[in-house]
């Protein structure tokens, strides 16, 4: 595959716009940047500086331009300057996409946007988000949705061209590359205080969208089990103090671990992975659990069914009793747990690889630029 065109054209230059975003979209941009650079594409990633500190876009050969999350005139001007002479711009997430729409105003540069998740808000802010969605969908040349629901939403909102995106679970970043340093599961369980008792694990920001209230409701029921399981939550966020108070007041068997860069090791040590709420259309935790052959119990929200198929124990959303009961049933049914492990391996094998994800994106780029065959 060549990124060099005939007739003396220089290599394709793309600008990837990231507004900070969640871990899934940020890791996707890093993976995409690495794959594009490896194929001779010049990549500029416009994102907050802390995103480059975490995901190391420059480390995979991309140029990084610091663009704050806000859509104030200064940020838009910085992004507009970075997009000068770009063959196309690819924005990830609603807010980054809106910023790109503003920056490209008056230019004919093709704009691709990827919607990784549905933006959520309440009250007047919900109305504003709908207006932003409509503006982005109608302006973008192509909208890529990570789930069928997001593709349908883009079409309803006015997208001229909406397609299902291939999105791979990226390989581990630089924070977890040295596998020789990983502690064995038994050591990690001992450090967590989970020896001789079941260990449940979940991960994600401590915000209002991840089902943490449902998880704590379910944990009340698990206090009656013998032995009492331990639930560990990896993640940080604005609700930490509130959740910690409830854990202490109700004496729940739950530990908030804060931000961790060893989620894979935590999963490997766990008996079950738990996904009590939405927040991601393609849950990174769900993908990691299936890859790691850890049985998953998930609330049926967003794109969970499309992602995991029959390879998880799926329960109705917003129903802590059903969630708690599903976990107990799975603990008592090792044959069902073993079946879910096998089904998870088969389901994960059907997910797109990073190479396939890059290939799909390159095909869209080629279609829009018509500079050269890139596949």
């Amino acid at each position: 595959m060549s990124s060099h065109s005939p007739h003396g054209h220089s290599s394709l230059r793309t600008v990837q716009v990231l507004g900070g975003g969640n871990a899934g979209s940020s890791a996707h941009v890093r993976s995409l940047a690495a794959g594009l650079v490896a194929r001779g594409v010049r990549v500029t990633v416009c994102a907050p500086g802390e995103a480059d500190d975490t995901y190391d876009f420059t480390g995979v050969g991309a140029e990084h331009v610091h663009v704050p999350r806000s859509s104030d005139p200064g940020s838009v001007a910085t992004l507009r300057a970075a997009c000068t002479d770009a063959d196309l711009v690819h924005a990830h997430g609603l807010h980054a996409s809106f910023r790109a729409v503003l920056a490209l105003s008056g230019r004919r540069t093709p704009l691709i946007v990827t919607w990784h998740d549905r933006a959520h808000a309440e009250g007047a802010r919900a109305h504003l988000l709908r207006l932003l969605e409509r503006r982005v969908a109608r302006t973008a040349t192509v909208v890529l949705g990570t789930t069928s629901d997001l593709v349908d939403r883009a079409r309803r909102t006015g997208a001229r061209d909406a397609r299902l995106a291939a999105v791979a679970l990226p390989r581990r970043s630089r924070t977890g590359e040295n596998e020789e340093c990983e502690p064995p599961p038994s050591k990690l369980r001992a450090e967590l205080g989970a020896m001789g008792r079941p260990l449940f694990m979940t991960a994600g920001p401590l915000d209002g969208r991840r089902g943490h209230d449902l998880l704590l409701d379910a944990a009340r029921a698990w206090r009656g089990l013998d032995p009492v399981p331990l639930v560990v939550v990896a993640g940080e966020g604005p609700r930490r103090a509130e959740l910690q108070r409830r854990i202490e007041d109700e004496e729940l068997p739950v530990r908030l671990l804060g931000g961790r860069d060893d989620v894979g090791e935590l999963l490997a040590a766990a008996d079950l992975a738990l996904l009590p709420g939405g927040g991601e259309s393609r849950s990174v935790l769900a993908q990691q659990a299936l890859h790691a052959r850890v049985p998953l119990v998930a609330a049926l929200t967003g794109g969970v069914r499309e992602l995991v198929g029959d390879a998880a124990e799926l329960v109705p959303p917003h129903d802590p009793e059903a969630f708690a009961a599903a976990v107990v049933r799975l603990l008592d049914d090792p044959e069902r747990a073993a079946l879910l492990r096998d089904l998870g391996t088969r389901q994960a094998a059907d997910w797109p690889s990073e190479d396939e994800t890059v290939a799909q994106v390159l095909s869209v780029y080629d279609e829009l630029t018509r500079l050269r065959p890139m596949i």
Side-chain angles (χ1 to χ4, degrees):
M1 182 186 307
S2 172
S3 65
H4 295 280
S5 65
H7 313 304
H9 287 296
S10 61
S11 60
L12 185 76
R13 177 173 180 260
T14 176
V15 174
Q16 306 288 319
V17 185
L18 186 65
N22 59 38
S25 59
S26 299
H28 171 68
V29 170
R30 182 186 192 271
S31 171
L32 186 58
L36 293 172
V37 169
R39 290 159 176 79
V41 178
R42 292 183 294 150
V43 178
T44 299
V45 177
C46 292
E50 59 267 26
D52 188 51
D53 293 339
T54 302
Y55 293 95
D56 195 22
F57 305 119
T58 53
V60 297
E63 176 189 4
H64 172 252
V65 175
H66 170 64
V67 178
R69 287 182 174 84
S70 65
S71 296
D72 62 75
S75 297
V76 173
T78 300
L79 179 57
R80 184 175 178 85
C83 293
T84 301
D85 298 328
D87 293 296
L88 51 85
V89 174
H90 189 165
H92 301 263
L94 178 60
H95 294 287
S97 300
F98 180 66
R99 199 171 302 126
V101 167
L102 296 178
L104 294 176
S105 179
R107 294 181 179 176
R108 300 182 63 184
T109 309
L111 172 63
I112 303 98
V113 304
T114 297
W115 285 358
H116 295 265
D117 300 298
R118 178 180 173 182
H120 292 269
E122 297 179 357
R125 183 166 170 77
H127 177 65
L128 175 60
L129 285 178
R130 287 193 295 271
L131 293 177
L132 295 185
E133 280 186 332
R134 188 176 302 117
R135 175 77 180 276
V136 168
R138 294 180 178 181
T139 304
T141 313
V142 174
V143 177
L144 299 175
T146 59
T147 67
S148 298
D149 286 346
L150 288 172
V151 173
D152 291 341
R153 184 174 183 83
R155 289 171 178 159
R156 291 195 306 269
T157 310
R160 294 173 286 170
D161 187 342
R163 313 177 190 182
L164 187 63
V167 178
L169 176 66
R171 289 184 291 270
R172 298 169 61 183
S173 67
R174 57 179 179 162
T175 58
E177 288 174 348
N178 190 356
E179 297 185 357
E180 295 179 359
C181 297
E182 295 175 6
S186 58
K187 181 179 179 181
L188 192 51
R189 289 178 71 105
E191 291 174 355
L192 294 171
M195 297 302 291
R197 61 193 297 199
L199 177 63
F200 307 155
M201 186 269 178
T202 189
L206 304 182
D207 55 28
R209 298 173 52 203
R210 309 288 172 154
H212 294 110
D213 290 312
L214 182 148
L215 180 67
L216 298 191
D217 288 342
R220 280 204 303 261
W222 301 329
R223 291 179 304 184
L225 300 179
D226 184 20
V228 178
L230 174 65
V231 184
V232 295
V233 182
E236 195 55 84
R239 296 196 63 209
R240 179 176 182 129
E242 174 190 353
L243 295 171
Q244 186 62 48
R245 280 194 301 271
R246 185 176 167 195
I247 291 168
E248 294 171 359
D249 290 346
E250 300 180 27
E251 299 181 341
L252 300 176
V254 179
R255 284 189 59 187
L256 304 181
L257 303 180
R260 303 280 294 223
D261 59 9
D262 61 346
V263 170
E265 289 74 55
L266 290 169
L267 262 176
D271 298 290
L272 298 178
L274 308 180
L275 191 65
E280 293 178 290
S281 293
R282 289 183 65 87
S283 166
V284 173
L285 178 69
Q287 294 177 76
Q288 291 174 318
L290 267 60
H291 273 295
R293 292 178 57 81
V294 178
L296 173 69
V297 179
L300 190 52
T301 61
V304 169
R305 170 74 76 179
E306 185 175 344
L307 179 65
V308 304
D310 296 324
E313 203 71 46
L314 300 179
V315 298
H318 317 301
D319 190 338
E321 290 80 12
F323 195 89
V327 167
V328 173
R329 286 197 305 273
L330 196 53
L331 275 181
D332 292 338
D333 190 346
E335 291 185 1
R336 171 67 176 165
L339 176 62
L340 288 180
R341 291 188 182 96
D342 291 340
L343 291 174
T345 298
R346 297 173 200 164
Q347 183 75 12
D350 289 336
W351 292 335
S353 66
E354 289 186 277
D355 283 344
E356 290 167 340
T357 298
V358 174
Q360 187 212 36
V361 169
L362 279 173
S363 70
V364 176
Y365 290 1
D366 179 50
E367 177 184 336
L368 299 183
T369 60
R370 301 298 184 186
L371 289 177
R372 67 193 70 80
M374 302 186 71
I375 300 297

